Coordinates of all heavy atoms in Angstrom, one line a residue:
S1 N -8.7 11.5 3.6 CA -9.9 11.3 4.6 C -9.3 10.4 5.8 O -8.4 9.8 5.7 CB -11.1 10.7 3.9 OG -10.8 9.4 3.5
G2 N -10.1 10.5 6.9 CA -9.8 9.6 8.0 C -9.3 10.3 9.2 O -8.9 9.7 10.3
G3 N -8.9 11.6 9.0 CA -8.3 12.3 10.2 C -9.3 12.5 11.3 O -10.6 12.4 11.0
G4 N -8.8 12.9 12.3 CA -9.8 13.2 13.5 C -9.1 13.4 14.9 O -7.9 13.6 14.9
L5 N -9.8 13.4 16.0 CA -9.5 13.5 17.2 C -9.4 12.0 18.0 O -10.4 11.3 17.9 CB -10.2 14.5 18.1 CG -9.9 14.5 19.5 CD1 -8.5 15.2 19.8 CD2 -10.9 15.5 20.2
V6 N -8.3 11.7 18.5 CA -8.1 10.4 19.2 C -7.2 10.6 20.4 O -6.5 11.4 20.5 CB -7.5 9.4 18.2 CG1 -6.0 9.8 17.8 CG2 -7.6 8.0 18.8
Q7 N -7.5 9.7 21.3 CA -6.8 9.7 22.6 C -5.4 9.0 22.4 O -5.3 8.1 21.6 CB -7.5 9.1 23.6 CG -7.0 9.2 25.1 CD -7.9 8.7 26.2 OE1 -9.0 8.3 25.9 NE2 -7.4 8.6 27.4
A8 N -4.4 9.4 23.2 CA -3.1 8.8 23.1 C -3.3 7.2 23.2 O -3.9 6.8 24.1 CB -2.2 9.3 24.1
G9 N -2.5 6.5 22.5 CA -2.6 5.0 22.4 C -3.7 4.4 21.5 O -3.6 3.3 21.2
G10 N -4.5 5.3 20.9 CA -5.5 4.9 19.9 C -4.9 4.7 18.5 O -3.8 4.9 18.3
S11 N -5.9 4.5 17.6 CA -5.5 4.3 16.3 C -6.4 5.2 15.3 O -7.5 5.4 15.5 CB -5.7 2.8 15.9 OG -4.7 2.0 16.6
L12 N -5.8 5.4 14.1 CA -6.6 6.0 13.1 C -6.0 5.4 11.8 O -5.0 5.1 11.6 CB -6.4 7.5 13.0 CG -7.2 8.4 14.0 CD1 -6.7 9.8 13.8 CD2 -8.6 8.3 13.8
R13 N -6.9 5.4 10.7 CA -6.5 5.0 9.4 C -6.9 6.1 8.3 O -8.0 6.5 8.2 CB -7.3 3.7 8.9 CG -6.8 3.1 7.7 CD -7.5 1.8 7.3 NE -7.0 1.2 6.2 CZ -6.0 0.2 6.2 NH1 -5.3 0.0 7.2 NH2 -5.5 -0.2 4.9
L14 N -5.8 6.5 7.8 CA -5.9 7.7 6.8 C -6.0 7.0 5.3 O -5.4 5.9 5.1 CB -4.8 8.6 6.8 CG -4.4 9.3 8.1 CD1 -3.3 10.3 8.0 CD2 -5.6 10.0 8.7
S15 N -6.8 7.6 4.4 CA -6.9 7.2 3.2 C -6.7 8.3 2.1 O -7.2 9.5 2.4 CB -8.2 6.4 2.8 OG -8.3 5.9 1.6
C16 N -6.0 8.1 1.0 CA -5.9 9.1 -0.1 C -6.3 8.4 -1.3 O -5.7 7.6 -1.8 CB -4.4 9.5 -0.1 SG -4.0 10.6 -1.4
E17 N -7.4 9.1 -2.0 CA -8.0 8.6 -3.1 C -7.5 9.5 -4.3 O -7.7 10.7 -4.2 CB -9.5 8.5 -3.0 CG -10.2 7.9 -4.2 CD -11.7 7.6 -4.1 OE1 -12.2 7.9 -2.9 OE2 -12.3 7.2 -4.9
A18 N -7.1 8.9 -5.4 CA -6.7 9.7 -6.6 C -7.8 9.6 -7.6 O -8.5 8.6 -7.8 CB -5.5 9.1 -7.0
S19 N -8.0 10.8 -8.4 CA -8.9 10.8 -9.5 C -8.1 11.4 -10.7 O -7.2 12.2 -10.5 CB -10.2 11.7 -9.3 OG -9.9 12.9 -8.9
G20 N -8.6 11.1 -11.8 CA -7.8 11.6 -13.1 C -7.1 10.5 -13.7 O -6.6 9.5 -13.0
G21 N -6.7 10.6 -14.9 CA -5.9 9.7 -15.7 C -4.5 9.8 -15.4 O -3.8 10.9 -15.4
F22 N -3.8 8.7 -15.4 CA -2.3 8.7 -15.3 C -1.8 7.4 -15.9 O -2.5 6.4 -16.0 CB -1.7 8.8 -13.9 CG -2.4 7.9 -12.9 CD1 -2.0 6.7 -12.6 CD2 -3.5 8.3 -12.2 CE1 -2.6 5.8 -11.8 CE2 -4.2 7.5 -11.3 CZ -3.7 6.2 -11.1
S23 N -0.5 7.3 -16.2 CA 0.1 6.1 -16.9 C 0.8 5.3 -15.9 O 0.6 4.1 -15.9 CB 1.1 6.7 -18.0 OG 0.4 7.3 -19.0
V24 N 1.7 5.8 -15.1 CA 2.6 5.0 -14.2 C 2.7 5.7 -12.9 O 2.9 6.9 -12.7 CB 4.0 4.9 -14.8 CG1 4.8 4.0 -13.9 CG2 3.9 4.2 -16.2
I25 N 2.6 4.8 -11.8 CA 2.7 5.3 -10.5 C 4.2 4.9 -10.1 O 4.5 3.6 -10.0 CB 1.7 4.7 -9.5 CG1 0.3 5.1 -9.9 CG2 2.0 5.1 -8.0 CD1 -0.8 4.3 -9.1
H26 N 5.0 5.9 -9.5 CA 6.3 5.5 -9.1 C 6.4 5.5 -7.6 O 6.9 4.4 -7.1 CB 7.2 6.6 -9.6 CG 7.3 6.8 -11.1 ND1 7.9 5.8 -11.9 CD2 6.8 7.8 -11.9 CE1 7.7 6.2 -13.2 NE2 7.1 7.4 -13.2
I27 N 5.9 6.4 -6.9 CA 5.9 6.6 -5.4 C 4.5 7.0 -4.9 O 4.0 8.1 -5.4 CB 7.1 7.5 -4.9 CG1 8.4 7.1 -5.7 CG2 7.2 7.3 -3.4 CD1 9.5 8.1 -5.3
Q28 N 4.1 6.4 -3.8 CA 3.0 7.0 -3.1 C 3.4 7.1 -1.6 O 4.3 6.2 -1.1 CB 1.8 5.9 -3.2 CG 1.3 5.9 -4.7 CD 0.5 4.6 -4.9 OE1 1.1 3.4 -4.8 NE2 -0.9 4.7 -5.1
G29 N 2.9 8.1 -0.9 CA 3.3 8.3 0.4 C 2.6 9.3 1.3 O 1.6 10.0 0.6
W30 N 3.1 9.7 2.4 CA 2.6 10.5 3.2 C 3.6 11.4 3.9 O 4.7 10.9 4.3 CB 1.7 9.8 4.4 CG 0.6 9.0 3.9 CD1 0.5 7.8 3.5 CD2 -0.8 9.7 3.9 NE1 -0.8 7.5 3.2 CE2 -1.6 8.6 3.5 CE3 -1.3 10.8 4.3 CZ2 -2.9 8.8 3.3 CZ3 -2.7 11.1 4.1 CH2 -3.5 10.0 3.6
Y31 N 3.3 12.7 4.0 CA 4.1 13.7 4.8 C 3.2 14.3 5.9 O 2.0 14.2 5.9 CB 4.6 14.8 3.9 CG 5.9 14.5 3.1 CD1 5.9 13.6 2.1 CD2 7.0 15.2 3.5 CE1 7.0 13.3 1.4 CE2 8.2 14.9 2.7 CZ 8.2 14.0 1.7 OH 9.4 13.8 0.9
R32 N 3.8 14.9 6.9 CA 3.0 15.6 7.9 C 3.7 16.9 8.3 O 5.0 17.0 8.2 CB 2.8 14.7 9.2 CG 4.0 14.4 9.9 CD 3.7 13.4 11.0 NE 4.9 13.1 11.9 CZ 4.9 12.2 12.8 NH1 3.8 11.6 13.2 NH2 6.0 12.0 13.5
Q33 N 3.0 17.9 8.8 CA 3.5 19.1 9.2 C 2.7 19.7 10.4 O 1.5 19.9 10.4 CB 3.5 20.2 8.2 CG 4.2 21.5 8.5 CD 4.4 22.4 7.3 OE1 3.5 22.3 6.3 NE2 5.3 23.4 7.4
A34 N 3.4 19.8 11.6 CA 2.8 20.4 12.7 C 3.1 21.9 12.8 O 4.0 22.4 12.2 CB 3.3 19.7 14.0
P35 N 2.2 22.6 13.6 CA 2.5 24.1 13.7 C 3.8 24.4 14.1 O 4.3 23.9 15.1 CB 1.3 24.6 14.6 CG 0.3 23.6 14.5 CD 1.0 22.3 14.3
G36 N 4.5 25.3 13.4 CA 5.8 25.8 13.8 C 7.0 24.8 13.5 O 8.1 25.0 13.9
K37 N 6.7 23.7 12.8 CA 7.7 22.7 12.4 C 7.7 22.6 10.9 O 6.8 22.9 10.2 CB 7.4 21.4 13.1 CG 7.5 21.4 14.6 CD 7.4 20.0 15.4 CE 7.5 20.1 16.7 NZ 7.4 18.7 17.3

């Protein structure tokens, strides 16, 4: 959540919430993909 439209120079804060059981977290992170890339 947290995506949207913003003007250059502005700020946004993205959040990723997990549900379900798990034992150990090793790595958390973010990727991105633009059209054609």
Side-chain angles (χ1 to χ4, degrees):
S1 62
L5 175 64
V6 66
Q7 191 173 355
S11 299
L12 285 173
R13 187 177 183 89
L14 306 183
S15 183
C16 176
E17 184 174 2
S19 62
F22 51 85
S23 298
V24 180
I25 300 172
H26 303 286
I27 308 172
Q28 297 159 290
W30 293 87
Y31 278 70
R32 67 185 182 186
Q33 185 172 23
K37 296 185 178 181

